[in-house]
Amino acid sequence: MTKAIRVIRNVETIVAYDEETGTHAYLSDGDIAFDDNAILHVGDRYTGPFEQEEQGRGRMLLPGFVNIHCHSDEEPLSKGIFDDMGTATLWGQAMYEYSTLIEISEEAREASLTVMLGDLIRSGVTTLVDIAGPHDAWLPTLAKSGARAYAAPGFREARWYVEDSHRLEYRWDHARGREAYERALACVDAAQNHPSGRLGGIVSPSQVETCSSELLIEAAAAARSRGVPITVHAAQTMAEHEELLRWTGQTAVQYLEGLGILDGNLILGHCIFIDSHSWTRQRTETDMALLARRGTTVAHCPVTFSRSGMILESIGRYRRAGINVGLGTDSYPYNMLEEMRRALICSRIAGKSVFDLKTADILDMATLAGAKALGRQDIGRIAVGARPDFSLVDLNHPAMQPVYDPLRNLLHCAAERAVEAVYVDGRCIARGGRLLGLDYDAAVQVMREASKFTTSRIAANDPRGRSLSELAPLSLPTRQPSAQ
């Protein structure tokens, strides 16, 4: 059966893949033809058969972004609660003491996932890795979104808690961790075999310090045997860095190397606090050389960490060392274009130079580097034979005016406001900022009610029984209107 061929003609700017340079280039006033399986033509006028045709004047066509690290579950419910908080003795990191207080009801999981997907897709994401706990609505909702999605069901043997707001401790339960691991593998297999053809699975031990060395080694072997990647949070906080030094005398990167896990199949979540970071004690250069030599990918998520005053030092430095660095959004606001902008700015600050990283580098990270991390050469690029995953940007949008370099305008000024439509497998999955496969507005209403449940449970989940107003005072004092 012949697939329907669609053509977009006279696209003002196509960000096309250049085979000679191995990166992207601007192509002006070109045609693109595609079916639901592959891009068939990129360049001058397409003269072959087609079933549908539209005009691309006043548009830029971008490769779909590849987000290699994000979290659904309760993360969308955390918005605006603990953004000014942190545990002083844990280098200001809020995750250990505050993230455990956020609880999501089972009824809200699908809505939470829908909100995350909607925000990501309308910012141009066509492929994503969701690291979350498996639930009944997970794979069906990912499939209904129309996105290309990798389910990364997390598992761990230890859970952290903070004693008296100053000391990080771990509670180990190996049997429970083993059960979660088996459930996770079943979920990975289900995703790999999903009938949509757009889902995949990734083995995901949650954190390097919450899984035993035996489980980490076994998980890596399970990923290799299935031909899927493995991802783990590592070198993500100074607290974790210090704990591993105390337990093993090694950094996270060196520890994983010793376990035989550090290779091209591994995606490290964050990987900020390596031995050469200015906050650590080592002041050596071993970790970067290891990452480059083993071909391990770093999933960089600058927004979440810069909110806590933490920064990777720097993307340009990692890339110049030969490390594959991809991008993720981690938690809210789930906006890939904002993440790209923050990554660029933070890297220049950390590198103390405007020359540390270029706009073109950030685009490569959000597309080609992410595709490489997932072992794919058919996404993250506009080229004949690649999957037809792309976004259309309105070059006439007021926030894009005036246009000299459209990519810079998009990243530094317009962001998702100028994204007109998003396509996966040649099918439009979002237009005008609205999802076509999921009911985003209904999910927002569910989340409003879920927020009431979440905030009502915070005092019960806090070991010290503190109220929400004690834990996270409002940004401004509340005053009653005075009588006139």
Side-chain angles (χ1 to χ4, degrees), residues 251 253-254 257 262 274-276 282-293 317 323:
T251 65
V253 172
Q254 293 161 31
E257 165 72 0
L262 204 69
I274 59 175
D275 60 343
S276 57
Q282 285 76 18
R283 303 295 195 276
T284 54
E285 299 283 344
T286 302
D287 288 355
M288 292 186 74
L290 278 174
L291 290 167
R293 186 160 67 247
R317 185 164 154 263
I323 300 168

Side-chain angles (χ1 to χ4, degrees), residues 342-353:
R342 185 76 63 90
L344 182 62
I345 293 170
C346 285
S347 191
R348 289 175 176 180
I349 293 170
K352 298 180 174 61
S353 171

Side-chain angles (χ1 to χ4, degrees), residues 139 153 182-194 201 222 226 228:
L139 300 188
E182 297 299 336
R183 288 195 302 272
L185 291 185
C187 183
V188 167
D189 293 339
Q192 286 290 107
N193 296 311
H194 195 274
R226 287 166 167 77
V228 302

Side-chain angles (χ1 to χ4, degrees), residues 6-331:
R6 284 140 283 176
V7 183
I8 305 177
R9 296 206 183 274
N10 307 120
V11 181
E12 189 165 325
T13 302
I14 297 175
V15 177
Y17 182 69
D18 187 329
E19 294 282 354
E20 292 185 7
T21 63
T23 186
H24 305 290
Y26 284 142
L27 177 66
S28 299
D29 199 22
D31 288 3
I32 179 170
F34 53 92
D35 58 22
D36 58 6
N37 185 59
I39 296 173
L40 307 174
H41 171 92
V42 183
D44 55 7
R45 186 166 180 82
Y46 171 73
T47 59
F50 63 89
E51 282 70 38
Q52 297 177 22
E53 180 183 43
E54 64 178 295
Q55 285 297 319
R57 292 188 181 90
R59 292 168 167 175
M60 174 170 62
L61 191 145
L62 275 172
F65 297 141
V66 182
N67 180 334
I68 59 170
H69 190 105
C70 62
H71 299 285
S72 55
D73 268 352
E74 74 281 355
E75 290 291 347
L77 284 167
S78 304
K79 190 182 299 182
I81 299 179
F82 295 122
D83 301 291
D84 289 340
M85 305 300 116
T87 304
T89 57
L90 298 178
W91 292 268
Q93 175 61 252
M95 178 175 67
Y96 298 105
E97 184 171 8
Y98 296 93
S99 67
T100 58
L101 308 182
I102 302 294
E103 181 180 347
I104 186 172
S105 64
E106 286 299 319
E107 297 77 16
R109 288 184 183 275
E110 182 177 354
S112 178
L113 176 57
T114 297
V115 166
M116 184 195 80
L117 289 167
D119 292 348
L120 287 176
I121 290 169
R122 64 186 177 196
S123 71
V125 170
T126 55
T127 298
L128 63 106
V129 174
D130 184 21
I131 305 167
H135 54 91
D136 291 343
W138 196 16
L139 300 188
T141 305
L142 290 174
K144 283 192 293 185
S145 74
R148 201 174 302 285
Y150 287 79
F155 56 90
R156 56 185 174 180
E157 295 166 291
R159 294 186 176 274
W160 58 60
Y161 69 98
V162 177
E163 188 74 31
D164 294 330
S165 293
H166 73 274
R167 188 173 72 251
L168 178 62
E169 300 285 357
Y170 294 82
R171 293 190 178 99
W172 289 84
D173 188 333
H174 296 285
R176 184 175 180 179
R178 174 63 57 172
E179 291 170 3
Y181 171 61
E182 297 299 336
R183 288 195 302 272
L185 291 185
C187 183
V188 167
D189 293 339
Q192 286 290 107
N193 296 311
H194 195 274
S196 70
R198 293 189 312 276
L199 302 192
I202 294 181
V203 177
S204 180
S206 293
Q207 295 90 21
V208 67
E209 85 280 22
T210 63
C211 294
S212 64
S213 57
E214 293 80 7
L215 186 57
L216 287 170
I217 293 169
E218 187 174 339
R224 293 189 192 107
S225 69
R226 287 166 167 77
V228 302
I230 178 172
T231 188
V232 59
H233 293 80
Q236 68 168 330
T237 70
M238 274 298 294
E240 172 227 289
H241 176 81
E242 290 293 303
E243 286 297 319
L244 279 179
L245 280 181
R246 186 167 66 88
W247 297 349
T248 71
Q250 297 176 301
T251 65
V253 172
Q254 293 161 31
Y255 175 60
L256 291 169
E257 165 72 0
L259 297 181
I261 297 173
L262 204 69
D263 61 18
N265 199 46
L266 175 64
I267 303 171
L268 290 183
H270 312 308
C271 202
I272 298 170
F273 296 102
I274 59 175
D275 60 343
S276 57
H277 194 281
S278 63
W279 288 17
T280 64
R281 293 183 267 174
Q282 285 76 18
R283 303 295 195 276
T284 54
E285 299 283 344
T286 302
D287 288 355
M288 292 186 74
L290 278 174
L291 290 167
R293 186 160 67 247
R294 297 304 184 201
T296 300
T297 292
V298 169
H300 181 45
C301 309
V303 169
T304 296
F305 285 87
S306 61
R307 272 200 297 255
S308 296
M310 300 170 190
I311 194 168
L312 183 145
E313 296 176 344
S314 65
I315 300 173
R317 185 164 154 263
Y318 278 50
R319 283 171 55 91
R320 287 189 292 275
I323 300 168
N324 187 51
V325 184
L327 280 178
T329 54
D330 198 69
S331 181

